[in-house]
Each structure stands twice: as C-alpha cells, then as structure tokens.
Amino acid sequence: MRWLERKRALWRTRATARDAGSVLLSQRRVYILPTRAGLGFCALLLVLLVGAVNYNLGLGFGLTFVAGACALVDMVQTTRNLAGLVLSPGRAPAVFAGEDAPFELRVENPTRLARYAVWIDFEDVPEPRQAVDATAGGSATLVLRTPTRARGWMRAPRVRLSTRFPLGLFRAWSWWQPDSRALVYPFPEHDAPPLPMQGRPSPDGFGSAGSDDFGGVRSYQPGDPLRHLAWRQIARLDPELGGQLVTKHFEGGTVDELVLDFDALPVRLDAELRLARMARWVLEAEQRALPYAFHLGRIRYDAALGTAHQAACLRALALYGLADDPA
Amino acid sequence: MRTPRFTAPLARDKQDTLLLIASSLLVLAPHAAHLPPWVSLLCGATLAWRAGVTLLGRRMPPNIVLVPLAAAAMVGVLHSYHTLLGRDAGVAMLVLLVAFKMLEMHARRDLFVVVFLCYFLVLTNFFYSQTIPTALLMLASIVALLATQLSFQLTGVVPPLRTRLWMGAKLLGLALPLAGAAFFLFPRIEGPLWGMPDDAHAARTGLSDTMAPGQMSNLAQSEDVAFRVKFDGPVPPQPQLYWRGPVLGRYDGRTWSRVRPSRFVRPQPLALSVGGTPVGYEVTLEPSNTRWLFALEMPRALPDVPGHGVTLSGELEFQSLDPIAERVRYDLVSFVHYKLQPDASPVDGQWLTLPYGINPRARAEGQAIASEPDPARRVAAVLREFAQGGFVYTLQPPLLPGRDAVDDFLYGTRAGFCEHYAGAFVFLMRAAGVPARVVTGYQGGDLNPLDGYLTVRQSDAHAWAEVWLPHRGWVRVDPTAAVAPERVQRGLAQALPAPAPFGLEGLGRLLQPDPDSLLGRLRYAIGAVNNGWNQWVLNYTPQRQQNLMQRLQEGLSHWQSLALIGMLCAMLFLVRKFSQRRKTDPVDALYSVLCQRLGQLGLPRAPDEGPTAYARRIADADLPPGPGAAATEFLRRYSAYRYGSQAPGTGLVPILRDLLSRVR
C-alpha cells in the first residue's frame, strides 16, 4: 500500500514538474527520426537485400543484416547520446533592447558515456549554431544569444538539443525550457536632448561634480567612474605585482543637482520614448560622472553615481509599468 | 567562439577525407583480383590524386576535366568487356564510379553517397569470393566505413583515430548478434528474382557426359569438393559408397558416351526392388555447371532439389533440367541392396553393340569366354584375369594412341586408371554376350570425424561397370577393385604411391597427411569449419530455415527449455536490479531511510528541503527528545559528509546506522 502511495506521489511530482532548475533529459523526452541520409541508407539496404536474393549470396545476406543492425544500433546510440544529460541554466546578464541577450547554459554529463556533437540552439533558429561535447562525467558551458525587442523581463526561448552522432542516419532531439530570464533595459534614445541640469549653473559654467580640484589618488572602490581612474599611476604598477587600481579623487567645486525625473518630461511624448530618453540620460550622466537623482513614478533614488545605482535605475526603467514576474 | 572553429575544421576535413580514401581503398582492393589491370591502375591513380588534392590543399578538378575522363573510362570498360551491362562490367563501372566520385565531393551528402557506394561494392565482391577470409575482410571494411561515417558527425572534440576505430568496432560488435538473429530468422526468398547475366557463372570442373582416356585421371588430380554428404544414420562402409552419375553405353573406339534414347525402341519401365535398411542422407552439391545429380546406389525416389526440376532416365540417372550454378542441397534415401530390372531383359542389342573392326583380340577373347553358359561365370573369369594378369593401377598410364586402344591396353601396357579398366571390362563383356555398360560417378569419400560430413572430391571420380544378369538385373562390377582393391577399400590417396612434388618425398607426405596425425586433424578441423560455413552461411536456404524453425519450435515446446529461458530472464533481471542497488551510496541509502522514518513520524521532508533546513525543522518540532536529537545529529553528520570540505572519515556508516536505530 505504502509502495503505491509512494509511486503516486512520485507520479504527481513528475506530472506537475516544470523545467525548474536543472533538468535530466530522460529517455522519454528524446525524440528520434531518420535523417535523409538514413532514408538513403534504408534504400541501400533494400538494394543489398535484392542483390543478395538475386545472386543467392549467403554473405550478401550477412552484409545486409550487419548493415541493418548497425543502423539500429546507431538509432539506440543516437538516443543515448542525448538521454541522461543534465541541463541547467546559467547567468543571463541584462542587455539593452535591440541587443542580443546572452543566456549561459550548462550541459552536464553524469553518465559514464562520453557525448559527442550535441547541437544546441534556440528553437526559432533554423540551423543550430553551436555544438558541445561532454566527456564522461564532464560538463560544457555555452552561451546562446537571442535578439531582444521589448524592455522588461525576457524568458529564455525554448532550447532544442539535437544530435546525429554516431552515424548520421538518425536525428534525435529534445526540448528544454530553461528556467532563465534576462532583464532587457529600454533602448537608449539616439540624439537625446542634453541632460536636464537644474538649479543655478555652476560658477565655472560647467556642472561637473567636484571635478575641478584634484585632491590626490586613493584606491579604487567599486562604483568609481571609469573616467576618474588614475591611469598613469595604474600603469606604473602592474596589478600582478601587487598594484591596484587607483582613482583620482577630486575636491571642491559645486555639485549641481541633476535630477532625472520621468514626470518632468513632456507628457505628449510616448511613454516608451520618455523611458528611452531616461535611459540615455542615465548612461550619459554615468559616463560624465555626474551624480544624478532618479525619479520614476513612486521610485525615487537620491543622487548617486556608480554601476549599482545605474543598474537600479535602468532596472526601474525596464520594469516600469510591467509586472515584475514574466508570466 | 567562432574563430577556433573556423581554422580547426580545415585540418579535420582533410583527416576525414583521408580516412574515407583509406576505407574505400580497403573496399576496392579485393576487386583488383578480377578487374582488368587498367581499371585498378586508374582507380589507384584517381585515389592518389584525391589524396594529393587533400594533402597539398589543391583545387578539385573541374567538371570539364572529369567528364571526358569518365567517358573515356566507360569506353575502356566497353572495350574490355564488350558490354556495359553484364555483371563484371557493372562491377568495373561501379569501382570507377566510386573513384571518380571522390574527385567530385562537394557537400556532406556526397560523403554519404561514397560511403553507401562502398557498402554496395563490398557486396559485389561476393560474386567472386565468399570464403571466411572474405567475410573477415568485410567486417574490417565495415569497421572502417563506420569509423569514417562517425568522423563526419563529430564537431568539436575529435577522439584519436584509434578511438574512433574502436567506436566503430564496438558499434559493429553490438550489431552482430542482432545481424546473426536476422540472418537465421529473416524469411528467405529463393532467388534469382530475374534472369542472371550470362557471365554470372564461370566454368568449373566436374564429371562430364563422356569418358575418354585421360579424363578421369585429370579429374583425380583436383582436390575440389564435388559434394558433401551428411548421413542420417551410420555411414555405410567405404566399399559400398558408389555415387552414381552418368551411365555410358555407346563406344566409338575411343570415347564412351551416353546412349541416345532411340525413337524406335520404347524405353523399358524402370523396375527397382530394394531390400535391407534404407540409408537416408543429405547431399550438398557444389556448383558444377552441369546437370548431374549424384546419388548413392541405389536411390528409390527422385530428390527434391530446390529451384531445379529433376528428371530420371531409363538408366537410373538423375539430372536437373538446367545446369546447377549454385550450391544445392537435396535429401535422398538409398538402399545398398537392390535389384534393378531383374526380370525384363534389356533392350535388344543396345548394351551389346561394339564398333566393328577394332580390338580384334579382345573381341576374340570375349567370344571365347562366351562358351561358358553362365553369364556370372563369364564376369568372374574376366575379373580373375584382371586380378592376376599383372595389371597396374596408375594415374599416369602410357598413352594408347592406336586404333585398337583396348587391345593395346589389355595385351600391351597393362597399366591404367579406372576408366581403362571399366572400358575394357565392358568391351570384353559385350564381346562375351553379356549386356554391360559403364557407370561413372564417384567412389568413396572422406569422412570428417568432427562434423560427420563425408566430403567427396573430384579426385574420388570413378568409373565402374554394370552387367545384366538374368534374375539379378543390373549388377555392379568394379574391375578396378579387382586390380587395386585398396582403391575401393580406402580411397584413391592410399591406392596410389604418394606424389613427390619437386622430387621431394617428404613434401608429398605433408600434402597428403596421415588422417591421425596433428596435421591431418587440423585439415579435418579446417574442413569442418569450411563445411559449416558452406552449410550455414553460404547455402542457408528457405528449406534449411524451415528445418531450423521446426527444430527450434520442438526445442522450445519442452518445459525444460522454457524453464531455462525463464530462469535466465529472472537472473538477468536480478543482476540488473542488484547492480542498480549497488550504485547508490550506502550513506545516501541510510539518509533516504531516515527521511522515510521521519515521514512516518509525521515530519516528511519537503522535496526542496536540504538536510540542514530539515534538521532545523525537526529540532523545532515536538519529537521526543531521544529520536529528535538522534535525527538532528544524523542530519548534521550527513550534511557534513555531503557538503563539508573535509574528506569523510571511515566508520560513518555504522554511526549513522546507530543513530538511525534510535529514530523510532
């Protein structure tokens, strides 16, 4: 009775499971059909058989059956070349709309059978672009790219794994929906208007934050603008010999309030265009190392600078008006 | 990602192409034995060209070069074979096609085309040879072709050639049992499906319809197998093994030939009465391109030869309606005690005629014997003369070019082979007024003790006589036995002095080894293997398959065999189960038991819960302190073993087992 219960529980888990986390490609998930070469081989077998029958060649029958059996073994081996692999999604860094989103995928081979020539690509690609090999107990990591269009979360498209190894007479394939998503930032607007400087203009007429008086160098901290890296000092010390990245440290100057406010943009503009402009401004402010405050709807970030701040702002732009979870 | 793949495949493509060239060379090489030399040379040159193109990175020849070349080759084939359609011409064309296709490979599809053509070329080689070495070569070729095909599929990692060949061999090894089952079980169809080209069968040696001096002794030097016999029961003694073939009754002074059925004489009905125990046997006749079927004297019914109609002549000869160009098998039942046409006197004169004016001395002697009233005594008198007259049995008798060949033999040279004795005997008998005729066929055979097959070779060809005696019918008389009894008792090899090739006695003994010596036994073993090959591989016919199926069915319907199969299946299942069980780590096994037990206690592990989280939940739960602490400790140790950085100490399993026993 308990056995039955357990089986039922197992069945329920299996039936309702989605491709969360890593996935074992069981034999049931692998489909197989003969290729065109396989059909040609079938015709060859027929010709061999007819030849053997017509000329009463005992060895001809032998050859025919050996070749046919090789094709059957090939069918099993092609399936086994795919079955038993463990697939898991890897990192999927954020990209701007219009760029290709890279999805890292990991193929593990926990079995004792080496796998060769497993072609992997997204479902919508007509010809797979990448193949991986995985030795017994080994693994392979690859990055698949797919174009992005709209901002927001993008789920990895369905992945198709296929193989023709060893003889190419059959093609086995399997589907996998990786549980992986990439954040797509809005496309930064081309030729956007200049940054919206607020408050009084700085005395020198240039509102860079504290960029006037050189105050010395200090060691690099994550978030320091790249512009402020003290390249001359860095170049003197080879990082491998204990050198560190150093950042120029500026003092003085007035910090102008740079506020990127979504609501301040003209309402007549399309919302997406406004988001695109915001994205461009974030990038530009970051590039020019101007600390910027960021207002988007209820989100209000204080003025700051650095990759973390930039990522938070872009993320807010990407998800503006969208549910956080890709359905 | 793409750059390394762009530079690497160039070298790999070359490797693959070279491998393809090598495997096609393996397939093409055996064809060189029967192709005209220019075809082999052209093929070799083409393959070398292709290899050069690959190695030096040259361009493939354009079609403007290839097309005239191929056309010229076709003209060459036409010139060599005078046709483009026959079997041999077809094979030559196919060989050239494979070679030229190598120079015209552009897409991956072309690789498959070449590989498939190679498979077909392996088949065509069987037209010429189907020996065991050929079969081994076939397997080697298949391994090479499989390795080639497999190399084309590889992408990134390319194992070394040896590994790829090993993969091919493994694939073949897995396929062989399946192929074996298909070979024996796949329903066989009797060919041919259509008329074969005329050149399908080359001329072969064998017994002919006539007997002229020198013919039999020629045949006696051939070690070719004429047929093989498998007796159902014990093998009859050697002196009774007379394999009946053509019966010759017409003599023109030099050649004995068959009596043409006369339009004026009605053939007598065949009357055969038999006695004694029937001898059942199966004859596997090698292809001879003649129509003769051989049977132990005397068969009672017509054999059923698959694919051939069989006729019976008035002289009790079996003939198929068309020449036998392939190995055939037929079953027969014979009786060594028989009476053939005992009552009806043979057709007037037909078995008594002699050409006029030749061999006067023999004729006179025959007439002298005719004074004896009992024909049986006349026979005995002549045999006595043969036995005591200083006759010599030899393979190389002096030539008898004169007009009176029988006279010259009987009263001159007195040295001859079976054909001389049989011919002279029948001549004398006819002169003495006893109806007589020459019977040709085979006598004896070599019994292989390993597989029980009796091998009858061309060297066992023999001629003897039949005389008709009142109330006894046609009686076999072997005059050779009177001269050289050991020929009939023990076979030709023992009756003749061993030949001495190159004048070396020892070499002769090596070639004709004593059956009991190691060499002799080895020869028997090789013979048995060869015969098994012929019986089960080359001549596995629908009949044979039916027999096998029947025997299999009978064997399987026994409860013992069914029980054996059941036991085997159960054992396989258990071994599989056991090996699966063994694979799990004992620590993991204990862990799953613990989870099960805790589940029974109302705390099942959630599917997404690790041991540490589970332990935390258990510590919070209201389990009795003893089991709770034990379970927590178990889980702590388990997670340390599983995920900890330290190598697991020995003796973890007993500790865990002890902790587990406390969780109740």
Side-chain angles (χ1 to χ4, degrees):
Chain A
M1 265 297 105
R2 203 181 299 143
W3 177 82
L4 200 67
E5 293 267 291
R6 223 177 325 141
K7 284 278 158 189
R8 195 181 293 165
L10 197 68
W11 176 81
R12 203 177 298 137
T13 341
R14 204 181 286 155
T16 52
R18 286 161 63 189
D19 290 354
S22 62
V23 165
L24 172 75
L25 279 189
S26 66
Q27 199 122 7
R28 272 188 221 181
R29 292 178 62 144
V30 178
Y31 308 96
I32 188 159
L33 272 181
T35 56
R36 275 172 61 181
L39 294 179
F41 195 78
C42 199
L44 169 78
L45 287 180
L46 209 65
V47 171
L48 289 179
L49 186 67
V50 168
V53 168
N54 197 45
Y55 287 93
N56 266 330
L57 299 172
L59 263 189
F61 280 106
L63 173 70
T64 311
F65 295 135
V66 166
C70 280
L72 285 184
V73 172
D74 173 52
M75 183 171 80
V76 174
Q77 291 198 345
T78 305
T79 313
R80 285 188 47 172
N81 199 34
L82 217 53
L85 287 177
V86 175
L87 310 169
S88 41
R91 286 169 307 172
V95 292
F96 289 98
E99 291 178 349
D100 281 355
F103 288 96
E104 196 181 84
L105 305 174
R106 198 174 145 78
V107 179
E108 271 175 90
N109 177 13
T111 62
R112 283 184 297 172
L113 187 78
R115 313 303 178 97
Y116 295 98
V118 177
W119 290 90
I120 300 182
D121 215 327
F122 290 125
E123 181 184 15
D124 43 3
V125 180
E127 275 296 309
R129 295 164 295 184
Q130 285 191 47
V132 296
D133 306 281
T135 52
S139 67
T141 306
L142 75 164
V143 177
L144 291 180
R145 289 166 195 283
T146 187
T148 57
R149 254 172 241 106
R151 68 186 170 87
W153 283 114
M154 179 178 181
R155 263 196 104 127
R158 202 147 74 125
V159 171
R160 184 176 51 200
L161 296 98
S162 65
T163 186
R164 293 164 187 231
F165 189 81
L167 296 187
L169 304 179
F170 290 89
R171 179 174 155 275
W173 76 94
S174 186
W175 304 107
W176 170 44
Q177 176 61 64
D179 188 19
S180 178
R181 58 182 192 176
L183 188 60
V184 181
Y185 299 144
F187 177 75
E189 188 189 5
H190 279 306
D191 308 323
L195 288 172
M197 296 299 181
Q198 284 188 358
R200 57 191 168 79
S202 76
D204 51 10
F206 204 76
S208 303
S211 60
D212 293 337
D213 305 321
F214 180 64
V217 295
R218 57 169 173 80
S219 64
Y220 171 82
Q221 281 162 355
D224 283 345
L226 288 182
R227 271 163 57 90
H228 290 181
L229 283 180
W231 291 110
R232 211 177 295 162
Q233 276 82 358
I234 293 168
R236 273 189 216 135
L237 286 167
D238 187 349
E240 284 177 15
L241 298 175
Q244 280 184 324
L245 294 178
V246 284
T247 310
K248 284 184 250 179
H249 168 56
F250 295 95
E251 286 172 344
T254 50
V255 180
D256 274 336
E257 190 85 335
L258 173 57
V259 178
L260 307 180
D261 190 353
F262 184 73
D263 297 329
L265 286 169
V267 188
R268 60 186 161 79
L269 289 179
D270 180 53
E272 291 301 322
L273 182 62
R274 279 181 282 166
L275 289 171
R277 183 163 299 172
M278 291 279 283
R280 166 61 62 198
W281 281 347
V282 165
L283 291 182
E284 204 174 320
E286 209 43 63
Q287 204 183 1
R288 289 169 55 183
L290 301 172
Y292 54 96
F294 180 86
H295 297 173
L296 177 65
R298 280 188 293 169
I299 296 171
R300 306 188 89 76
Y301 295 138
D302 290 335
L305 204 56
T307 37
H309 182 57
Q310 177 187 335
C313 296
L314 288 175
R315 180 190 168 93
L317 289 172
L319 299 178
Y320 177 71
L322 299 176
D324 192 35
D325 186 33
Chain B
M1 201 76 202
R2 282 199 85 73
T3 23
R5 297 193 61 232
F6 192 71
T7 51
L10 218 62
R12 256 214 52 218
D13 276 0
K14 286 183 174 185
Q15 269 183 29
D16 288 353
T17 311
L18 288 180
L19 187 60
L20 181 65
I21 292 173
S23 22
S24 66
L25 204 61
L26 193 63
V27 171
L28 291 172
H31 284 279
H34 59 82
L35 287 174
W38 70 266
V39 175
S40 307
L41 280 178
L42 183 58
C43 270
T46 313
L47 291 186
W49 187 3
R50 184 64 179 90
V53 164
T54 310
L55 285 175
L56 305 176
R58 297 281 161 75
R59 261 197 207 172
M60 301 262 254
N63 280 348
I64 201 157
V65 177
L66 275 180
V67 170
L69 202 61
M74 234 160 101
V75 171
V77 169
L78 187 63
H79 184 259
S80 289
Y81 292 92
H82 308 292
T83 174
L84 286 179
L85 295 175
R87 191 193 67 181
D88 293 340
V91 173
M93 299 262 277
L94 203 61
V95 164
L96 287 168
L97 175 66
V98 168
F100 285 134
K101 185 71 195 167
M102 287 274 181
L103 284 173
E104 204 262 330
M105 277 192 313
H106 299 295
R108 169 149 298 199
R109 200 188 42 160
D110 295 329
L111 302 175
F112 277 110
V113 168
V114 172
V115 168
F116 289 2
L117 282 175
C118 280
Y119 275 107
F120 197 69
L121 270 182
V122 172
L123 180 90
T124 57
N125 190 33
F126 300 150
F127 293 147
Y128 309 102
S129 166
Q130 292 200 70
T131 57
I132 296 176
T134 312
L136 294 178
L137 184 68
M138 167 189 99
L139 292 183
S141 309
I142 292 181
V143 168
L145 288 174
L146 289 179
T148 311
Q149 236 177 312
L150 180 149
S151 302
F152 291 140
Q153 296 302 325
L154 290 170
T155 49
V157 178
V158 179
L161 181 63
R162 231 178 44 204
T163 316
R164 277 177 282 157
L165 284 174
W166 173 238
M167 284 157 107
K170 227 162 59 177
L171 209 157
L172 179 68
L174 287 171
L176 277 183
L178 214 62
F183 186 87
F184 288 112
L185 303 182
F186 186 85
R188 289 298 183 90
I189 311 159
E190 188 77 45
L193 300 176
W194 61 80
M196 298 227 219
D198 292 338
D199 60 348
H201 311 290
R204 293 184 177 92
T205 57
L207 216 56
S208 73
D209 296 14
T210 59
M211 186 180 81
Q215 241 172 33
M216 284 280 174
S217 36
N218 250 346
L219 214 56
Q221 283 160 351
S222 162
E223 281 292 290
D224 288 349
V225 174
F227 52 93
R228 287 190 173 86
V229 186
K230 175 90 170 164
F231 286 97
D232 295 343
V235 181
Q238 192 86 5
Q240 287 184 353
L241 295 176
Y242 279 87
W243 305 98
R244 192 182 183 85
V247 177
L248 314 176
R250 241 164 53 118
Y251 186 53
D252 64 356
R254 177 139 210 97
T255 307
W256 287 91
S257 52
R258 300 184 63 220
V259 173
R260 294 230 182 82
S262 169
R263 243 181 298 167
F264 308 108
V265 184
R266 206 157 45 88
Q268 278 185 322
L270 208 57
L272 178 69
S273 62
V274 292
T277 39
V279 180
Y281 54 96
E282 179 201 66
V283 177
T284 309
L285 190 67
E286 295 290 312
S288 61
N289 254 4
T290 63
R291 304 207 297 237
W292 294 108
L293 303 170
F294 298 93
L296 188 68
E297 289 191 331
M298 250 338 152
R300 202 175 50 174
L302 258 84
D304 181 21
V305 182
H308 295 274
V310 178
T311 60
L312 180 67
S313 74
E315 289 82 54
L316 224 158
E317 305 155 298
F318 289 140
Q319 267 186 299
S320 78
L321 293 175
D322 37 1
I324 292 172
E326 76 284 351
R327 201 174 276 114
V328 292
R329 224 178 339 232
Y330 49 88
D331 289 310
L332 274 173
V333 176
S334 289
F335 294 84
V336 291
H337 302 290
Y338 62 88
K339 278 183 178 175
L340 179 59
Q341 280 161 336
D343 299 322
S345 160
V347 180
D348 307 19
Q350 191 173 315
W351 308 113
L352 286 168
T353 48
L354 289 171
Y356 284 107
I358 55 166
N359 301 322
R361 282 185 72 185
R363 192 184 283 266
E365 190 190 339
Q367 276 155 3
I369 298 170
S371 59
E372 167 67 51
D374 183 1
R377 291 207 176 175
R378 297 178 215 165
V379 173
V382 172
L383 285 181
R384 203 160 42 240
E385 195 198 320
F386 275 2
Q388 294 163 2
F391 284 89
V392 180
Y393 181 63
T394 171
L395 255 175
Q396 285 107 11
L399 291 176
L400 302 166
R403 204 173 63 99
D404 302 324
V406 173
D407 273 6
D408 292 348
F409 168 67
L410 282 176
Y411 310 106
T413 61
R414 298 206 167 198
F417 199 54
C418 58
E419 63 217 46
H420 299 94
Y421 290 101
F425 179 78
V426 171
F427 191 94
L428 283 172
M429 280 293 108
R430 287 189 176 184
V434 181
R437 58 195 185 189
V438 174
V439 183
T440 57
Y442 297 88
Q443 202 281 320
D446 189 15
L447 183 71
N448 188 333
L450 291 178
D451 59 359
Y453 271 89
L454 184 86
T455 305
V456 179
R457 298 172 190 281
Q458 298 297 351
S459 56
D460 294 316
H462 194 51
W464 60 93
E466 253 178 358
V467 291
W468 190 85
L469 302 176
H471 309 300
R472 290 174 61 188
W474 287 104
V475 175
R476 181 178 65 223
V477 178
D478 191 349
T480 311
V483 179
E486 60 278 7
R487 162 68 185 89
V488 177
Q489 300 279 346
R490 300 177 58 201
L492 181 67
Q494 266 69 36
L496 291 171
F502 312 116
L504 297 172
E505 285 290 330
L507 205 60
R509 220 168 295 130
L510 207 69
L511 293 175
Q512 296 278 331
D514 181 33
D516 292 331
S517 70
L518 187 68
L519 211 61
R521 268 180 290 167
L522 189 70
R523 205 161 149 241
Y524 276 133
I526 294 171
V529 168
N530 257 326
N531 181 40
W533 180 255
N534 288 342
Q535 297 289 344
W536 287 101
V537 177
L538 302 189
N539 199 28
Y540 185 69
T541 54
Q543 283 77 19
R544 186 140 211 146
Q545 188 173 36
Q546 231 163 29
N547 285 352
L548 182 78
M549 288 298 114
Q550 216 157 18
R551 264 163 49 195
L552 215 63
Q553 210 176 6
E554 280 163 19
L556 283 184
S557 51
H558 271 292
W559 69 269
Q560 286 109 322
S561 43
L562 282 180
L564 194 73
I565 290 173
M567 259 161 67
L568 273 176
C569 288
M571 249 162 74
L572 268 176
F573 178 75
L574 283 178
V575 163
R576 214 181 141 72
K577 194 96 187 158
F578 188 63
S579 63
Q580 272 175 352
R581 192 55 67 72
R582 283 287 295 278
K583 267 181 214 152
T584 51
D585 188 341
V587 176
D588 278 337
L590 287 172
Y591 176 60
S592 63
V593 174
L594 177 85
C595 294
Q596 234 174 0
R597 261 191 213 165
L598 288 172
Q600 288 164 16
L601 293 173
L603 280 167
R605 186 174 70 89
D608 57 346
E609 212 167 19
T612 318
Y614 195 24
R616 217 174 296 131
R617 197 154 62 85
I618 285 163
D620 294 344
D622 50 349
L623 275 180
T632 328
E633 175 63 11
F634 183 109
L635 289 170
R636 190 190 64 75
R637 281 179 184 268
Y638 175 78
S639 92
Y641 162 76
R642 215 14 77 224
Y643 309 109
S645 55
Q646 278 169 354
T650 50
L652 178 67
V653 174
I655 298 173
L656 291 185
R657 200 169 285 150
D658 179 51
L659 287 169
L660 186 64
S661 67
R662 280 189 264 156
V663 182
R664 288 277 172 203

